[in-house]
Amino acid sequence: MLKKTLGLAVIATVAIVGQAAARDQIRIVGSSTVFPFSTTVAETFGNKGNFKTPVVESTGSGGGLKLFCSGIGDAHPDITNASRRIKKSEVSKCAKAGITDITEVKVGFDGIVLANAKTTAPIRLTKKQIFLALAMQVPVNGSLIANPYRTWKDIDPSLPNTKIEVLGPPPTSGTRDAFVELAMEGGAKKFPSLKALRKSDKKAFKVIAHTVREDGAYIEAGENDNLIVQKLVANPNAVGIFGFSFLDQNSDRIQGGIIEGVKPTFENISKGAYGISRSLYFYVKNAHVGKVPGIKEFIAEFTSEDAFGEFGYLTDKGLIPLSKEERTAIRKQATSLTNLKMM
Amino acid sequence: MTDTQELKEKVSWVTDDAMEKLARRHRSERRFKRLGLSAIVIALVMLATLLVSIIGRGYTAFIQTTITLDVTFSEAIIDPKGARDHKTLKAASYRTLIREALRKEFPDVSTRKDLRALFGLISKGAVQEFRDLVISDPDLIGTTSSVELTASDDIDMFSKGYISRNVSEEDRRVKDIEIKWFDQLQSNNAIQTVFNKRFFTGGDSREPEVAGIMGALVGSLYTLLITFIISFPIGLMSAIYLEEFAPKNKITVLIEVNINNLAAVPSIVYGLLGVALFLNVAHMPRSAPLVGGLTLALMTLPTIIIAARASIRAVPDSIRNAALALGASKQQSVFHHVLPLSMPGILTGTIIGLSQALGETAPLLMIGMVAFIVDIPGGVTDPATVLPVQIFLWADSPERAFVEKTSGAIIVLLGFLVFMNAIAVLLRKKFERRW
């Protein structure tokens, strides 16, 4: 009996695999930051009833591009989302696998906020202070030492006398990459000694600017997690780092910190006034257009005013739209599948 | 005389010293009992805290706020040609109907911004509900009737009390004007809370109010089915062979050590193996329960083999010897006597292994099952996700309403686990035999 079951199982498996036909469903991989937007578009696209709802995987920007660049054919994804621009090394990796035609679509901005509970005063920080609070090594009197600051007040007398306690994303996260690059590196550049180091030895500079302290002041929490919000409410002294959409959804309980004198509001991020924001993209494999049904229509849906426009449904999900001119230009480029040019 | 008496006194066990020792032993025993009891109590308190916090946060996921509106099923909008064919009915703009109904309910709303907010009261998912309603009953066209429509997630959260009226307007997702409309609707008895059927019957969605767990539940079932079909027979055969037939030599010792080692390998490693074997070599489809099940089967195999071997070993040798003495072959003794007697233990081990597989997410990440999938999978090769992945994805979503959905999904997962363990207990009770 058991042998029979086993045999049947093997036969069934082989039969199922054998019949795997051409794919009729778009497959999207990539960034967990773009994931909420990509899935919203996918669902709306599927609801229109002309094509199957695309499958969207949350693999992270790097993981997504790796899958995307692995080849052409049914087994490989058609589109990858990224919360940063594709790197030159990734373009050449793609080219090696025969993927030379890639369409880049910029969809909007995302701000990274430092937030705390509404029950206390909002935090006001400069990038320099962020660097001093969170870096592993900081320059004091011209020499680099292990971060000595325990309270915010230690950094600057104008800051509150509370323990530095920051809940942020783990190193695997794109949000962490962007935060480190935009906020901490931005702060590190303000020190003349580090600025000089940047010129002489860029690698050494990056190690200092990008290494987050590990003595307990920075607590690795989940990435963009509703739990961080709950932790912040429970502990008013703690500060959390996450994407703008979480602040937007929970603005009755938490407030965004003022960075370099600018509040993280929809308008400020959209204008580019807020210092810690990044662009979001997706990349399309042109070779799959026409093979997998609906890719062109999906791009059209994503870049329609209804979706990524100023009042589109993606703004309800926390996407910060591009300017009108940029949107028009991107729509034209995207729908005509203009090949990616790397500067 | 006095000597013996002295001796008697000396050997007596009721000297003060001995009594002291006895009391100390009793004290120590009581202490140990109390420690044991407190360990159990701590465990129970933790379990209760977990359950209370999850159920307290999650039970509201099972109910849903609806808004009842008088909707005119205008023929001019749905089916201007009067053909009533499926395609026209499917493509009609039901959004317009809902908007008209809202406008009729609140005729004094005029600015574009306010209208946008007004239309936002009703969930985007209501359009599909509406479409299904009309397609199932085309006679509605041309009539006016009151329809229960799913409210948007913000209104739902507000109605359930998760959004307070007392914070200032700019910090609130639900604005003053929306509260005014809500109160007006409530005074007209148009706001209702109903059982959230969709949560149990629908697939995933980006709109929390229409997101359902069914897709993940079916995905979990298919995945576990494949896991069971592959791992149970193979695991059982390996255990029987190793325990009953294999010669005891260096090679079998090596195999045994390896199996024990494999049981302790982190699950993500099996995910990598799954990618290499099933996706890259066998070219099976990504995100399919088939691949997930095969990967998890690899992970579950060692658990099943170890459990099965232990329960086969627990069958007394006298039973085997009796069978052999009566002329049964080795195979007959195993299949007629040893296996039935060890079955309860094997099944318990299998179900424990499967419960472990049910809770896995890490290996599934590698093979693409951590994904947003709307359609409920219809087979083992359709893209699917599983319950723990669905919980992870919802916990990761910014919308406030997904908090309760996350807890709701955890309740469903716990229910599934309790169900599986109950089966294990039942099977054990049914087959258990003492000798």
Side-chain angles (χ1 to χ4, degrees), chain B residues 268-345:
Chain B
I268 187 85
V269 176
Y270 289 103
L272 289 167
L273 183 64
V275 174
L277 204 61
F278 304 126
L279 293 186
N280 294 348
V281 176
H283 295 292
M284 291 184 190
R286 254 183 101 78
S287 314
L290 175 68
V291 183
L294 287 170
T295 309
L296 292 177
L298 293 179
M299 198 193 84
T300 321
L301 260 177
T303 316
I304 294 182
I305 295 177
I306 292 170
R309 289 188 67 181
S311 51
I312 290 172
R313 213 176 302 146
V315 175
D317 260 347
S318 54
I319 301 222
R320 291 186 189 86
N321 293 339
L324 293 177
L326 287 172
S329 70
K330 183 87 182 159
Q331 193 191 350
Q332 281 172 323
S333 88
V334 169
F335 282 94
H336 294 176
H337 302 280
V338 177
L339 200 54
L341 285 174
S342 54
M343 219 41 176

Side-chain angles (χ1 to χ4, degrees), chain A residues 51-73:
Chain A
F51 299 98
K52 274 191 163 180
T53 308
V55 170
V56 189
E57 275 181 57
S58 171
T59 61
S61 303
L65 278 159
K66 205 173 148 200
L67 287 169
F68 182 80
C69 289
S70 57
I72 293 176

Side-chain angles (χ1 to χ4, degrees), chain A residues 175-315:
Chain A
T175 312
R176 163 86 165 252
D177 289 347
F179 173 78
V180 161
E181 204 164 290
L182 294 163
M184 290 188 43
E185 196 180 318
K189 272 189 270 186
K190 304 271 167 68
F191 293 93
S193 62
L194 291 178
K195 207 172 169 185
L197 179 69
R198 186 164 177 256
K199 282 211 178 104
S200 58
D201 186 353
K202 206 164 177 182
K203 255 194 186 146
F205 168 77
K206 279 215 160 150
V207 169
I208 292 161
H210 289 199
T211 312
V212 173
R213 64 197 294 184
E214 286 163 358
D215 55 359
Y218 182 88
I219 303 150
E220 273 172 20
E223 176 187 4
N224 285 354
D225 200 310
N226 271 312
L227 281 176
I228 299 186
V229 175
Q230 289 167 23
K231 282 180 195 152
L232 292 182
V233 173
N235 178 3
N237 289 334
V239 175
I241 300 172
F242 37 76
F244 173 74
S245 48
F246 277 79
L247 176 67
D248 189 38
Q249 285 281 338
N250 293 288
S251 51
D252 56 336
R253 296 190 289 178
I254 52 171
Q255 56 194 345
I258 298 157
I259 309 296
E260 304 277 357
V262 184
K263 258 186 146 176
T265 58
F266 197 90
E267 289 75 23
N268 284 339
I269 301 172
S270 172
K271 272 192 308 202
Y274 182 72
I276 320 176
S277 74
R278 55 181 160 165
S279 307
L280 305 176
Y281 302 88
F282 70 87
Y283 293 91
V284 184
K285 207 177 278 175
N286 292 356
H288 282 196
V289 178
K291 298 252 168 54
V292 178
I295 296 183
K296 259 194 159 165
E297 290 79 358
F298 179 81
I299 301 172
E301 173 68 40
F302 212 134
T303 56
S304 68
E305 279 299 293
D306 262 357
F308 87 153
E310 204 180 342
F311 298 106
Y313 55 76
L314 290 180
T315 59

Side-chain angles (χ1 to χ4, degrees), chain A residues 2-3 5-6 9 13 16-17 19-20 25 27 29 32 35-36 39-40 42-43 47 49 52-59 67 75 118 223-227 230 245-246 248-253 311-313 315-317, chain B residues 57 90 112 116 124 128 131 154 162 167 170-173 204-208 229-230 232-234 236-237 282-284 286-287 290 294 365 368 370-375 380-381 383 393-400 403:
Chain A
L2 287 169
K3 270 183 189 160
T5 323
L6 183 67
T13 313
I16 287 159
V17 175
Q19 67 171 12
Q25 192 170 28
R27 303 214 55 139
V29 294
S32 56
F35 182 77
T39 46
T40 308
E43 193 179 350
N47 276 339
K52 274 191 163 180
T53 308
V55 170
V56 189
E57 275 181 57
S58 171
T59 61
L67 287 169
K118 203 108 208 194
E223 176 187 4
N224 285 354
D225 200 310
N226 271 312
L227 281 176
Q230 289 167 23
S245 48
F246 277 79
D248 189 38
Q249 285 281 338
N250 293 288
S251 51
D252 56 336
R253 296 190 289 178
F311 298 106
Y313 55 76
T315 59
D316 293 341
K317 296 279 167 201
Chain B
R57 218 177 282 148
K90 208 176 163 196
R112 188 169 175 267
R116 216 173 109 83
K124 269 192 218 143
Q128 279 100 263
R131 185 170 62 198
D154 284 339
Y162 288 114
V167 288
E170 63 169 314
D171 297 333
R172 210 188 313 119
R173 298 255 327 150
D204 194 11
S205 169
R206 283 307 307 170
E207 307 301 326
I229 290 176
I230 301 296
F232 183 69
I234 298 182
L236 192 56
M237 292 299 166
H283 295 292
M284 291 184 190
R286 254 183 101 78
S287 314
L290 175 68
L294 287 170
L365 180 73
V370 179
F372 173 75
I373 291 153
V374 175
D375 306 317
V380 291
T381 49
L393 287 176
W394 283 350
D396 228 27
S397 303
E399 289 83 359
R400 177 81 68 84
V403 175

Side-chain angles (χ1 to χ4, degrees), chain B residues 104-407:
Chain B
K104 211 168 67 187
E105 190 80 26
F106 300 98
D108 48 344
V109 179
S110 57
T111 65
R112 188 169 175 267
K113 189 167 153 264
D114 285 356
L115 278 172
R116 216 173 109 83
L118 181 65
F119 299 153
L121 291 181
I122 302 284
S123 159
K124 269 192 218 143
V127 177
Q128 279 100 263
E129 286 171 18
F130 218 81
R131 185 170 62 198
D132 296 343
L133 187 73
V134 173
I135 288 176
S136 69
D137 186 8
D139 292 339
L140 279 172
I141 298 169
T143 62
T144 301
S145 61
S146 57
V147 182
E148 242 180 39
L149 295 163
T150 306
S152 73
D153 55 333
D154 284 339
I155 295 298
D156 189 38
M157 287 292 99
F158 178 72
S159 155
K160 285 173 181 169
Y162 288 114
I163 294 175
S164 162
R165 283 171 196 252
N166 298 331
V167 288
S168 69
E169 187 182 5
E170 63 169 314
D171 297 333
R172 210 188 313 119
R173 298 255 327 150
V174 181
K175 303 297 176 204
D176 286 347
I177 187 163
E178 289 166 89
I179 295 181
K180 203 186 89 196
W181 293 329
F182 180 82
D183 290 341
Q184 191 184 328
L185 284 167
Q186 197 157 38
S187 62
N188 294 345
N189 281 329
I191 305 274
Q192 256 120 26
T193 34
V194 296
F195 176 68
N196 189 355
K197 209 173 84 192
R198 218 165 161 147
F199 184 71
F200 293 100
T201 57
D204 194 11
S205 169
R206 283 307 307 170
E207 307 301 326
E209 67 276 14
V210 294
I213 195 84
M214 195 59 183
L217 200 63
V218 173
S220 268
L221 269 177
Y222 279 133
T223 309
L224 282 186
L225 189 73
I226 297 284
T227 306
F228 178 76
I229 290 176
I230 301 296
S231 66
F232 183 69
I234 298 182
L236 192 56
M237 292 299 166
S238 325
I240 293 173
Y241 180 77
L242 282 173
E243 209 45 54
E244 298 284 339
F245 296 99
K248 298 273 174 280
N249 57 24
K250 275 185 186 160
I251 297 174
T252 46
V253 170
L254 189 72
I255 290 175
E256 185 170 345
V257 170
N258 269 304
I259 289 172
N260 290 342
N261 257 336
L262 281 176
V265 166
S267 54
I268 187 85
V269 176
Y270 289 103
L272 289 167
L273 183 64
V275 174
L277 204 61
F278 304 126
L279 293 186
N280 294 348
V281 176
H283 295 292
M284 291 184 190
R286 254 183 101 78
S287 314
L290 175 68
V291 183
L294 287 170
T295 309
L296 292 177
L298 293 179
M299 198 193 84
T300 321
L301 260 177
T303 316
I304 294 182
I305 295 177
I306 292 170
R309 289 188 67 181
S311 51
I312 290 172
R313 213 176 302 146
V315 175
D317 260 347
S318 54
I319 301 222
R320 291 186 189 86
N321 293 339
L324 293 177
L326 287 172
S329 70
K330 183 87 182 159
Q331 193 191 350
Q332 281 172 323
S333 88
V334 169
F335 282 94
H336 294 176
H337 302 280
V338 177
L339 200 54
L341 285 174
S342 54
M343 219 41 176
I346 296 174
L347 287 175
T348 312
T350 308
I351 290 191
I352 289 173
L354 287 180
S355 308
Q356 240 170 26
L358 174 67
E360 269 309 331
T361 50
L364 302 181
L365 180 73
M366 311 300 300
I367 54 165
M369 287 184 86
V370 179
F372 173 75
I373 291 153
V374 175
D375 306 317
I376 293 169
V380 291
T381 49
D382 284 355
T385 186
V386 293
L387 281 170
V389 169
Q390 192 64 74
I391 292 169
F392 167 73
L393 287 176
W394 283 350
D396 228 27
S397 303
E399 289 83 359
R400 177 81 68 84
F402 272 124
V403 175
E404 60 165 36
K405 293 286 182 288
T406 309
S407 296

